[in-house]
Amino acid sequence: MYFWDKHKAITSYYELLSGEVCDRYELTQMEYDIIMFLHNNPKHNTAADIVKIRKSTKSHVSTSLKALENKGLIERIQSTRNKKHIEIVLLDRAALIVEAGLNAQKQFAKNVLSGLTEEKQVCINIFDKICNNAEEH
């Protein structure tokens, strides 16, 4: 499976860059991923959103959210109208992590898309199609 093998190289490179941020701020990869997800997707700010969109397990998300809460990086806010609806908010203490994470993401995008000009959008469209096909099946 050529695509699958190559996909692992992309994932490994991203984890290398994000791993530097994790090490600096003493985070697990999942904690980092949740922080960046919340920053990059402010409208998807519940544990259920994280599980659904990121394809993570409930137990890993729950454990990581508890750790982030204990570290003072997030706060859970319960809705007054619906007790089951709990929004997750990044706190100011997470700002440096987000900044470092955005820099890592920019570096990743710059390096993996290096040399692509007109092909860049075509590659993005093809990758989206592959992902959508996988989702459907």
Side-chain angles (χ1 to χ4, degrees):
M1 296 271 320
Y2 180 80
F3 176 78
W4 184 251
D5 291 339
K6 293 298 180 180
H7 164 268
K8 289 178 184 178
I10 295 168
T11 303
S12 294
Y13 179 56
Y14 180 75
E15 288 175 356
L16 175 73
L17 292 176
S18 61
E20 294 171 6
V21 178
C22 292
D23 291 344
R24 187 177 331 144
Y25 294 100
E26 298 179 357
L27 300 170
T28 66
Q29 185 68 45
M30 177 66 83
E31 291 166 358
Y32 166 83
D33 290 341
I34 288 173
I35 288 172
M36 296 312 296
F37 177 85
L38 291 169
H39 174 77
N40 291 328
N41 303 279
K43 293 185 180 189
H44 299 287
N45 62 350
T46 67
D49 290 338
I50 296 167
V51 168
K52 181 180 177 185
I53 295 169
R54 295 207 74 251
K55 311 275 187 273
S56 301
T57 63
K58 287 181 185 181
S59 61
H60 284 122
V61 170
S62 177
T63 301
S64 296
L65 287 173
K66 186 66 177 165
L68 290 170
E69 193 172 34
N70 290 340
K71 293 175 183 181
L73 298 171
I74 65 161
E75 181 179 1
R76 299 183 216 207
I77 301 173
Q78 186 175 44
S79 170
T80 55
R81 292 179 293 196
N82 179 353
K83 299 287 184 197
K84 291 184 179 181
H85 184 81
I86 299 173
E87 293 185 358
I88 304 160
V89 178
L90 287 175
L91 298 177
D92 291 341
R93 288 188 64 186
L96 289 176
I97 297 167
V98 168
E99 182 181 348
L102 290 173
N103 288 335
Q105 289 177 343
K106 287 176 189 170
Q107 185 68 44
F108 172 79
K110 177 184 171 197
N111 291 346
V112 298
L113 299 174
S114 175
L116 299 176
T117 52
E118 306 89 44
E119 307 100 333
K120 182 178 174 180
Q121 191 58 50
V122 172
C123 288
I124 291 169
N125 292 342
I126 290 170
F127 188 73
D128 283 345
K129 180 66 177 163
I130 290 169
C131 291
N132 290 337
N133 287 342
E135 290 278 334
E136 287 177 25
H137 299 284

